[in-house]
Amino acid sequence: MAASLTSLATRSPDEPVKILLVDDQPGRLLTYRAILEPLGEHLVEASSGVEALKRLMEDDFALILLDVNMPEMDGFETASLIHQHPRFEKTPIIFVTAVNVTDMDRLRGYKLGAVDYVMVPVIPEILRSKVVVLAELHRKRLELQAANVKLEAANRALQAEQARELEVLNESLRNANAALGAQNVELHGEIAERKRVEQLLREADRRKDEFLATLAHELRNPLAPLQNALSIRRLSDSSGDPGLQQVMERQLALLVRLIDDLLDIARISQAKLTLRKHPTLLSDIIDSAVEVARPAIEQGGHELVLAVPEEPVALVADQARLSQVFANLLNNAAKYSEPHGRIELEARADADAGRVEVEVRDSGIGLEDAQIHRIFEMFSQVETEVDRTHGGLGIGLTLVRRLVEMHGGEVSVASEGLGKGARFGVSLPLEHPPAVPPQPESPTQTGSDVHKRVLVVDDNRDAADTLAMMIEMLGHPVRRLYDPQAVVAEMEAFHPDIVFLDVGMPGLSGYELAPQLRAMPGFEELEIVAVTGWGQPEDRRRTGEAGFDEHLVKPPALDAIRRLCEQPVRSVSGRRERVDG
């Protein structure tokens, strides 16, 4: 087992995978090999079902290309025996057949583990495309397993290191206490030692916050090509299941939200989270929160009842952050309510008291007194049964309390007990925005008339390729580069209007490259957009100082990309407000 784990951790993701070709006709085996050899994978042949089973016992394969019609043991029987073995129950199988199979045969094949059918004569492009997808999925699965192995090893090492540090600390304290009874003069040494340990704990807490921020950044990088691929799929009007598209987009948005929550907790702990207050309306804040929480509410089949004042309630607040507060409360109500429950959101303004009161009520599992006292603690989750889990990181309500307090408000919770629901109340100061004279609107050019030349620069090939494909589908000429050293030459040859530039690239970072592009003659109107996994205020300030016009956080939203590409070329003196993806 240990050797297997070590092999997973050291295996190169680019190493060829093994593909088993099973057919009783040598001519077909030769055809399969001729079609698939250009892929660079390791091809293994078997001329019968029995030989295929023998090959499987000797080695692992990424996928199996299996002939349906074979003497002695046909493809269906072979597939059944393969997937009866726990080791190969998830090995994908592509059936090859020279006759048209009935729907019942197809159903039988899929039940036996087939992922697809290929008809004879085999079309090389179709077969190669199917094999490429399954081989890449196998590599990704191996990469994930290797990452899990490394993470487990790192966790064990961290636990061992913590145990050693704790033992050192305990030994130091024992020695100090023993010496205290004999010599009172050593009291000052013990105090100094305690201060040293306290400093170590503070430093460890600081490193933890930095780790959370770095982890969120590293997780954003692989999300960017996934988000881009989903946007491409939507733009291409794919004939696939639209429900599947929505599921993937919804789950990706959930993952991005979890990463944002991790970042927010790190920022709050480091006192780096800032609010962007501006005049806004309470109704706009609640509408935005409901839109964010609606998928969770609809998934549970809950009834949502809103009671919001008809007259506008003006506030001076960070609209995005307050929307996050109420979205977290609505998501929390949906998560901890049984299906088809009732969720109520009631808002009221008390001008005399100068407060805005918002209450979210649910008919869910309720809270005990002990749970009420710790519900806002970080990583705290409510569970009423051992076998019940509601998911999440346990930081949503912590963010609610911190963000409300940063707005000068208070948050409270009440429940009549288990099974009787819960009530969360948010009280905010009623601040009236100052009167601002209306500004005349400047005429803008419609997006359909704008065709910008776009250059995408990212050392992550998947991120660069998918972003370029998405922009090309929006109707703009685009080129992509993976090497930052080649950008200057490409600028002279292509003369782009806008550059989407990754910030963290080896050899030449975006911070170094952006000033060079800004200083090139003839590119005074060039727009430079930072595309990065870092999104904290100091990161935005740094990109602004480096000469970037915009700052998009990975994964960039399709609407943000479309808006940047379709807005008219700006003048040298006109800088737009920086947007977030």
Side-chain angles (χ1 to χ4, degrees), residues 5 71 75 81 91 114 181 300 311 313 322 359 458 497 565:
L5 295 179
L81 291 174
T91 302
E311 65 278 3
V313 179
L322 280 187
E359 187 172 76
D458 198 321
D497 300 304
C565 290

Side-chain angles (χ1 to χ4, degrees), residues 30-295:
L30 184 61
T31 300
Y32 302 156
R33 180 171 291 276
I35 293 173
L36 300 179
E37 274 187 343
L39 300 181
E41 310 295 1
H42 183 61
L43 306 178
V44 179
E45 298 178 358
S47 59
S48 67
V50 174
E51 186 179 358
L53 295 175
K54 179 181 178 181
R55 296 288 189 185
L56 284 168
M57 297 306 297
E58 296 172 349
D59 212 335
D60 292 323
F61 293 87
L63 64 106
I64 303 171
L65 193 64
L66 181 58
D67 182 27
V68 171
N69 299 308
M70 292 188 299
E72 296 182 1
M73 182 187 299
D74 65 16
F76 291 137
E77 294 174 323
T78 304
S80 176
L81 291 174
I82 290 173
H83 280 176
Q84 285 177 15
H85 197 294
R87 180 179 161 193
F88 314 117
E89 61 182 353
K90 295 185 178 179
T91 302
I93 297 175
I94 299 178
F95 277 130
V96 180
T97 177
V99 297
N100 290 327
V101 293
T102 66
D103 290 341
M104 292 301 297
D105 286 336
R106 288 183 180 273
L107 179 61
R108 179 187 176 192
Y110 291 139
K111 287 183 177 180
L112 293 175
V115 297
D116 212 337
Y117 277 84
V118 174
M119 301 297 298
V120 175
V122 176
I123 300 176
E125 290 78 8
I126 293 179
L127 179 59
R128 275 197 293 266
S129 65
K130 295 177 185 296
V131 170
V132 164
V133 170
L134 293 175
E136 187 61 26
L137 287 175
H138 183 74
R139 288 191 179 92
K140 294 299 182 184
R141 184 163 59 249
L142 293 179
E143 288 180 32
L144 180 60
Q145 292 172 350
N148 287 336
V149 170
K150 292 181 180 179
L151 183 60
E152 182 180 356
N155 187 47
R156 289 197 300 268
L158 179 60
Q159 291 177 347
E161 180 63 24
Q162 289 176 338
R164 287 192 294 270
E165 290 182 359
L166 183 60
E167 182 58 29
V168 170
L169 174 60
N170 290 336
E171 183 64 22
S172 176
L173 293 177
R174 284 194 295 269
N175 293 338
N177 288 330
L180 181 63
Q183 297 179 348
N184 194 36
V185 293
E186 295 183 6
L187 177 61
H188 296 289
E190 181 184 349
I191 294 175
E193 177 66 14
R194 290 180 182 272
K195 288 182 178 180
R196 184 186 71 83
V197 173
E198 183 180 351
Q199 179 61 34
L200 287 175
L201 292 175
R202 279 197 294 265
E203 180 65 19
D205 188 66
R206 183 189 64 80
R207 289 197 300 268
K208 178 262 297 180
D209 292 334
E210 292 178 350
F211 168 76
L212 287 177
T214 303
L215 174 64
H217 167 263
E218 292 302 318
L219 290 175
R220 286 184 185 276
N221 283 324
L223 289 182
L226 290 177
Q227 177 70 67
N228 294 341
L230 286 178
S231 298
I232 291 170
R233 191 174 187 271
R234 179 171 290 279
L235 289 172
S236 65
D237 239 353
S238 173
S239 59
D241 184 1
L244 181 60
Q245 175 81 12
Q246 294 172 5
V247 168
M248 291 187 292
E249 290 177 345
R250 184 165 58 248
Q251 294 302 317
L252 185 61
L254 176 60
L255 184 55
V256 172
R257 180 175 166 230
L258 292 176
I259 294 174
D260 289 339
D261 285 349
L262 280 176
L263 273 176
D264 286 340
I265 285 295
R267 292 170 186 166
I268 290 175
S269 300
Q270 297 171 348
K272 292 182 178 180
L273 183 64
T274 58
L275 299 179
R276 300 178 182 177
K277 291 188 176 182
H278 56 83
T280 185
L281 295 177
L282 177 62
S283 58
D284 291 341
I285 294 173
I286 293 177
D287 288 345
S288 178
V290 170
E291 185 64 25
V292 172
R294 189 172 299 279

